Structure formats: structure tokens, C-alpha cells
Amino acid sequence: MIETIRWTEDGVVMIDQTRLPREEVYVTCRDYRAVAEAIRSMVIRGAPAIGVAAAMGVALGVLHGAEFETVCDTLAATRPTAVNLFWALERMKRLYASLRGCPIAEIRDCLVAEALQMRLEDIAINQAIGRHGAGLIPDGKTVLTHCNAGALATAGYGTALGVIRAAVAAGKKIDVFADETRPFLQGARLTLWELQHDGIPATLITDSMAGHFLKSGRIGCVVVGADRIAANGDVANKVGTYSVAVLAKENNVPFYVAAPLSTLDLTLASGDEIPIEQRSPDEVTHFFGVQVAPDGVAVENPAFDVTPHRYVTAIITERGVARPPFTESLGRPTSWAGTNSGKTESERL
Ligand code: MRU
């Protein structure tokens, strides 16, 4: 399995996702500031991977004697949209508070152990998401995905790609269409690299081709990841996801979101409240360092968009599959439908 992030004696080691697929280079972050910079610069990216990196950053900071609040604040200031970052920091803060009065060596050991545990849990959670989602994938069809919600975006296995991996492991004959995902090209660079690595048949398309193929009848379903899901089921994910969701509904193609419970933000009533990261104009005006737009041009570069819940067929989590109305189902995971029924959406309808 592709190893996105690991804890070593020297520091936190990450595969550098800005350099894939041309170079497989590993970066060692030797202090918490380097971890924060790796998150900000997208050496590591994807909501669950960012969460694990932040937890390891906290552990590294405390290990080196940095002030706890400063470490947490520095990591929290890196990327605003993926709630997993804040979820991970809160978990580390709760543990730290519970250790008040303990010897410093014990506090350090406990924080490192917690970060390592979060990494292992994330892999197990993704495998559970895969088990719950595999039955929803239509056999003999193409699955469309956007961005990279794979092993690289998590501690391993992936959310959306985890569902695809589990469907393939279950014997389904599927192939994948991956949107290139402008402007950072997570689909072209990372999703195709991962799927090639696993020998899963995959085809690269540009974002603007998604409508053409959704209309063609070839696409059996769409599966994407998420950065934050509000209480009503609105989903923030990589910019371009909303367009895919609307086109999927127009063409009666089921649109699934695969995400761990740590991506739910039930404190937000709707997606309107989700903070959307704005990134550098250079990502839009330049293509791998080559300028493609005139000097001085006005640019917008929101890194995420919000897909309204009415376009979401179901949300696949480690606990099962939540269906509309999400305001009810997301608040009550115990009510979620049986999951690995083996039925596809068209069979359910
Ligand atoms: O800007 P990125 O690459 O961090 O955005 C990633 C995504 O939008 C993913 O789809 C999302 O984080 C889910 S990853 C399992």
C-alpha cells in the first residue's frame, strides 16, 4: 500500500505530492513548523491526511518542547476548509488537557502514541468505508471521480478510491474516469498514479469533459471525497465537484460522497457556513511554472466548492451509508441503512 505519512525517529516523513508522478521523493519534517508548511504548500493534502499530519505535528512540537497552544495555532492556520484538521487538533487538545499534572515524559509519549493511533485508525476507517460502499458500485460500468480521494489523501487506502478498490477486490469489472482537476491537477497527477500502481483500469479526462461522458450512459456512478459536510448534507470538496454533481443529476447518474465521520461538521447548519480556501492566483495563471495568462489579469482561485445536498445520492462512511434527508440521517448514525447489500442504485430504485 502507498505510504502517505509515517512517524520516524528523525521526524514526520511524507511522500511529496507536489512532485508526483514524475518523482517519488520523501520529505522529512523535523519540527512542527515544517509540518505546518508541508500542509500549507500541499506536500501533503486531502482532508484525512491533513488531520493525521496535524496530529503528528502536535506530537513533534511537544516532543521538542514548543509551547502547546502555539503549535496548535500554527497548524490550525494552514488550510481552512478541511474540518479533519480541526478535528485532529481538538482530539490532541483534549488528550493534552486530560494529562495535566503528569510528568512531561509521559505527556510526550501519550501524544506521540495518539498521533500514531490516528494514522492506524484512518486506514481502518477507509477500509470500512470501502466495505460499505462497494455494493453501491454498478458492475460493468465506469466510475467517475474528481480530485484525489485516495491513499495519498488519507493515511492509506482512500475514501472514494477506497470504495473503488473494495469494489474491484469484490470482483466487479469496473474502470475509472478521473477528472484532471484544475488547477492543481490532483486527478491527473495523483489519482492516475495511484490507480496505475494498483492495476485498476483508469482514463484521464479534463474537467470540462465530465458532462459529455455523464450523458453518454457509460458512467455508472460518481464517487468523490469531501473536506467538510454540513448537518444538512451539503458537501465541500475540491472545486469542480459541484458541476459534476449537477451534471450527474441531470443525467440520472448516482452521486456518492465517501468520507469518514471526522469530515462531518454538525455545528454548521448548511454548506453556506463552510469557509472556502482561496489560493494563489499563480496556480491559475501558470501551468508548471509556465505563464499561460496575460500579466496583471484578475484571477479567482477558490480551492473548494459546495455541492448542495439535493445532488447527493448518499454519503458513505465507516458506520454505513447515510441517505436523504441528511438532516435526520447524519445526526443518527444508528439509523443508517444496511450497507453492503450488493445492490446498485438502479436496482434500489
Ligand atoms: O486541495 P486538496 O488536494 O487538499 O483537496 C482534496 C480534496 O478535495 C479531496 O477530495 C478531499 O480532501 C477528500 S480526501 C479523502
Side-chain angles (χ1 to χ4, degrees):
M1 191 166 71
I2 297 159
E3 204 167 32
T4 312
I5 181 165
R6 89 189 118 92
W7 179 270
T8 70
E9 299 245 303
D10 295 334
V12 181
V13 176
M14 305 168 184
I15 189 165
D16 186 343
Q17 300 193 32
T18 65
R19 292 165 77 173
L20 285 171
R22 292 186 332 162
E23 291 172 284
E24 199 173 316
V25 176
Y26 292 80
V27 171
T28 303
C29 299
R30 293 175 202 279
D31 62 33
Y32 79 90
R33 286 194 190 83
V35 174
E37 182 51 24
I39 296 172
R40 197 203 57 72
S41 64
M42 292 169 70
V43 163
I44 190 157
R45 32 66 53 201
I50 292 172
V52 173
M56 289 191 181
V58 171
L60 204 54
V62 171
L63 208 55
H64 293 163
E67 205 253 324
F68 187 79
E69 285 303 320
T70 310
V71 172
C72 292
D73 291 351
T74 305
L75 289 158
T78 51
R79 298 194 72 193
T81 304
V83 76
N84 306 62
L85 170 66
F86 307 99
W87 169 88
L89 292 175
E90 279 310 312
R91 183 162 156 177
M92 296 301 271
K93 282 181 190 173
R94 273 199 307 277
L95 177 62
Y96 185 73
S98 76
L99 294 166
R100 192 157 299 162
C102 293
I104 185 66
E106 189 182 331
I107 294 176
R108 287 174 176 160
D109 286 351
C110 285
L111 290 172
V112 172
E114 186 76 351
L116 299 189
Q117 176 64 19
M118 282 159 82
R119 176 181 169 277
L120 290 178
E121 277 175 19
D122 187 58
I123 297 170
I125 283 168
N126 293 327
Q127 287 166 339
I129 291 172
R131 281 195 298 279
H132 290 306
L136 300 172
I137 304 295
D139 203 0
K141 302 281 274 186
T142 299
V143 181
L144 177 68
T145 191
H146 187 74
C147 192
N148 172 266
L152 291 167
T154 61
Y157 201 67
T159 56
L161 294 195
V163 171
I164 289 167
R165 287 191 164 102
V168 170
K172 293 201 171 168
K173 299 273 173 280
I174 56 170
D175 71 318
V176 178
F177 269 27
D179 290 342
E180 65 171 346
T181 316
R182 275 283 285 158
F184 209 69
L185 304 184
Q186 291 94 329
R189 297 189 300 104
L190 308 176
T191 296
L192 269 297
W193 183 79
E194 271 196 37
L195 293 173
Q196 265 189 353
H197 197 272
D198 275 17
I200 297 175
T203 303
L204 173 63
I205 61 171
T206 68
D207 298 358
S208 49
M209 293 173 191
H212 171 78
F213 287 110
L214 281 162
K215 186 156 158 280
S216 73
R218 168 175 188 159
I219 310 287
C221 71
V222 178
V223 189
V224 297
D227 286 83
R228 201 185 283 230
I229 301 174
N232 68 347
D234 290 353
V235 174
N237 192 47
K238 180 52 53 191
V239 70
T241 303
Y242 172 38
S243 319
V244 174
V246 174
L247 287 161
K249 192 172 181 83
E250 167 69 16
N251 292 287
N252 293 316
V253 175
F255 179 89
Y256 298 116
V257 175
L261 294 174
S262 54
T263 302
L264 296 184
D265 186 352
L266 301 182
T267 67
L268 305 184
S270 86
D272 296 342
E273 297 170 51
I274 298 176
I276 301 293
E277 177 184 10
Q278 304 290 326
R279 291 191 62 87
S280 164
D282 294 357
E283 290 180 358
V284 180
T285 55
H286 288 64
F287 205 74
F288 285 95
V290 177
Q291 188 172 337
V292 291
D295 280 334
V297 74
V299 175
E300 293 280 356
N301 188 14
F304 302 95
D305 60 25
V306 174
T307 298
H309 58 87
R310 65 179 174 280
Y311 296 106
V312 179
T313 309
I315 298 173
I316 307 162
T317 78
E318 67 270 34
R319 288 261 190 92
V321 178
R323 293 189 176 271
F326 293 114
T327 308
E328 277 175 34
S329 61
L330 291 181
R332 283 190 304 122
T334 46
S335 71
W336 295 355
T339 48
N340 208 355
S341 66
K343 286 204 171 128
T344 64
E345 198 57 29
S346 39
E347 285 163 343
R348 287 174 57 96
L349 295 171

